[in-house]
Amino acid sequence: MMTTPPMLAVHVRPEEPADCDRIGAINDAAFGGPVEAGIVAALRGTDRWIDGGSLVAETEAGEVIGHVLLSIGDLLADDGSVRPIWVLGPVSVLPEHQGRGVGAALMRAAIEVARGHHQPLVCLLGHAEYYPRFGFERARPIGILPPAPYRDENWQALRLPGWTPVMRGTVRYPPAFPKD
């Protein structure tokens, strides 16, 4: 009989300069390669970086075991206007700690950062079964189109209190993200 691993108590906080290498290693381990760590590193210091939008999950022993990133993308409206919006990702947890609530703690904290900055919308590309528990829904039906031909169930948005139905258009990720 399989047992579920116990939930892990973590403290979520903004990244500090000393965390950068660890964040890269966590992303590499979680995703099995350097793409996501490269995105995070390439965004640091750019105008697409959100102060306080790179969060780490730290154990009671002080070990950083997870990371989530919020960054600034663009919503390109049909009328040609461009509005900045926030995009979420990558979200990474060391494989040995996955399934223990670390990713959920990171997600809740990231959403609270977005709420605290009065963001109307957060978009992401991710697992269709995981992100709806945090309020994300398919983005295309609410008029938020993906920057590439992503599958509808994976292209998701979270409508926050400032969202209105006039927010419609195609999302453009920051340049650090790969072009699909």
Side-chain angles (χ1 to χ4, degrees), residues 45-170:
T46 71
D47 64 344
R48 298 302 166 143
W49 186 261
I50 297 167
D51 188 33
S54 180
L55 304 170
V56 296
E58 186 176 60
T59 66
E60 291 174 348
E63 180 187 7
V64 175
I65 61 169
H67 175 255
V68 64
L69 182 67
L70 290 160
S71 59
I72 302 170
D74 293 312
L75 183 63
L76 312 170
D78 292 338
D79 66 5
S81 64
V82 178
R83 175 193 178 118
I85 63 162
W86 285 16
V87 294
L88 190 147
V91 181
S92 57
V93 176
L94 287 174
E96 62 268 26
H97 297 296
Q98 292 175 4
R100 300 182 67 193
V102 178
L106 287 163
M107 286 299 299
R108 286 190 297 273
I111 291 166
E112 285 310 306
V113 168
R115 283 185 200 280
H117 282 81
H118 308 288
Q119 290 302 305
L121 182 75
V122 176
C123 294
L124 63 77
L125 177 65
H127 293 287
E129 300 82 32
Y130 184 74
Y131 295 99
R133 73 183 76 179
F134 305 105
F136 283 84
E137 62 188 311
R138 291 180 181 199
R140 199 180 305 267
I142 63 168
I144 307 298
L145 305 178
Y150 302 146
R151 294 175 53 168
D152 280 354
E153 59 267 18
N154 301 114
W155 177 241
Q156 300 175 51
L158 173 65
R159 295 185 273 182
L160 295 169
W163 181 84
T164 65
V166 298
M167 289 188 67
R168 302 176 68 80
T170 302

Side-chain angles (χ1 to χ4, degrees), residues 36-46 49 175-177:
E36 287 77 9
I39 291 168
V40 176
L43 279 165
R44 272 192 198 96
T46 71
W49 186 261
F177 282 80

